[in-house]
Amino acid sequence: MAGALDADGWPVAWTTTVACPSIMNLWFPGSIKNNLDPTSVEGVENLPYSIPNILVDYQLTETGIPVGFWRSVGNSQNGFFSESFMDELADAGKKDPYELRRRLLGKAPRHLGVLELAAKKAGWDKPLPAGRFRGIAVLFAFESYCAQVVEISVDRSARTLKVHRVVCAVDVGRVVNPTNIAAQSESAVVYGLAAALHGAITISRGRVEQTNFNNYPVLRLDEMPEIETHIVPSEEKPTGAGELSVPPVVPALCGAIFAATGKRIRRLPIRPEDLA
């Protein structure tokens, strides 16, 4: 990924090269055309930001490791990359990460709606308690919109972090069952946090070493943050909520880590040495 800023620190160019295997070609041979797997560029090929020059390039790359579907598919990794990069552009241009997104989403009203709702409910304009830090991210996935603010604290000497609060704002069109949307959103936050904090997969002698929850842990009760879900009122057609809230939580978490430590997270899962 690369970007350029104007003299006032606002983005004017953005380029992305994605290199990964095709999940569709593996599971549905012959389903891709011109070596382009659309799922491989989900979360980055349709950037909503008003940046005048954007280039997204995909290179079909065989790694020798089979890939499978998981919750939010290409939006998961690409949402992490694209929204983390937005934070880096904000820092390079000396902009608040929320205000940068807010300005660049003027032509994307539904993105802007969830972003402003999440920031408002999280109290972005209010100071945090001592030792607390936060990050923000917004993404479109599966015809729906989600923004999240993640609040954390970091113990740099112990190389540990605590996620205290996640504020999630969603726009899924006309709401049929709000309690189901909250359940889907909150479980997706847990899913994303578990992947970011614990989801390492290692391979030895051609086999995945992780076999069950004893060596591939998920989030435990004592690690659970307070999660709030806020729904944008809408009369648009109903859309999906099941996978929507996975992608934004990790870049928002990593933005909070940068605010706490000054260190960028560019690989997952997060390791203790990343927090020192």
Side-chain angles (χ1 to χ4, degrees):
M1 307 191 80
L5 307 175
D6 65 17
D8 296 319
W10 299 105
V12 292
W14 171 303
T15 66
T16 301
T17 298
V18 178
C20 67
S22 166
I23 192 172
M24 296 300 292
N25 203 43
L26 180 67
W27 291 91
F28 307 100
S31 63
I32 65 171
K33 297 179 180 180
N34 300 321
N35 284 330
L36 174 63
D37 179 352
T39 66
S40 295
V41 292
E42 289 175 329
V44 72
E45 56 86 20
N46 55 349
L47 290 172
Y49 299 113
S50 295
I51 300 173
N53 304 287
I54 297 176
L55 172 67
V56 178
D57 176 50
Y58 172 61
Q59 299 293 328
L60 178 59
T61 305
E62 297 301 338
T63 63
I65 300 171
V67 293
F69 292 93
W70 80 311
R71 196 169 179 178
S72 78
V73 202
N75 289 289
S76 56
Q77 71 265 20
N78 291 331
F80 166 63
F81 299 142
S82 61
E83 282 298 282
S84 294
F85 192 60
M86 277 300 296
D87 280 347
E88 297 205 26
L89 290 176
D91 182 57
K94 296 180 172 55
K95 309 296 183 188
D96 176 88
Y98 163 60
E99 293 297 342
L100 176 70
R101 288 171 169 84
R102 189 165 177 261
R103 167 157 170 165
L104 296 180
L105 290 176
K107 296 181 180 179
R110 296 181 74 180
H111 285 86
L112 184 61
V114 290
L115 180 77
E116 292 182 332
L117 181 59
K120 177 182 177 181
K121 295 297 185 180
W124 190 271
D125 59 341
K126 298 178 176 62
L128 286 168
R132 297 283 185 96
F133 303 89
R134 61 193 167 198
I136 194 168
V138 59
L139 207 76
F140 168 85
F142 307 105
E143 306 304 318
S144 299
Y145 305 78
C146 180
Q148 292 176 15
V149 175
V150 175
E151 184 179 320
I152 68 166
S153 61
V154 176
D155 185 334
R156 300 188 69 177
S157 60
R159 299 184 177 186
T160 59
L161 70 82
K162 172 68 176 175
V163 182
H164 296 278
R165 183 186 183 204
V166 178
V167 177
C168 180
V170 299
D171 179 348
V172 295
R174 181 180 297 173
V175 173
V176 177
N177 186 338
T179 55
N180 184 54
I181 292 171
Q184 291 282 9
S185 301
E186 290 157 17
S187 65
V189 166
V190 175
Y191 194 92
L193 288 176
L197 298 174
H198 303 305
I201 291 290
T202 55
I203 295 175
S204 177
R205 302 176 68 182
R207 291 181 180 272
V208 172
E209 294 184 292
Q210 289 69 33
T211 57
N212 212 315
F213 293 123
N214 63 311
N215 51 16
Y216 189 81
V218 295
L219 221 60
R220 302 266 181 173
L221 283 175
D222 63 348
E223 298 176 288
M224 275 296 299
E226 175 189 353
I227 304 175
E228 305 170 24
T229 299
H230 302 279
I231 302 171
V232 175
S234 175
E235 290 302 316
E236 298 286 343
K237 67 176 183 178
T239 48
E243 301 181 272
L244 171 66
S245 298
V246 175
V249 69
V250 183
L253 169 65
C254 293
I257 292 172
F258 176 76
T261 67
K263 298 179 71 173
R264 291 289 180 196
I265 306 297
R266 290 179 169 174
R267 61 179 184 174
L268 296 173
I270 299 161
R271 296 156 174 82
E273 57 267 29
D274 297 331
L275 305 173

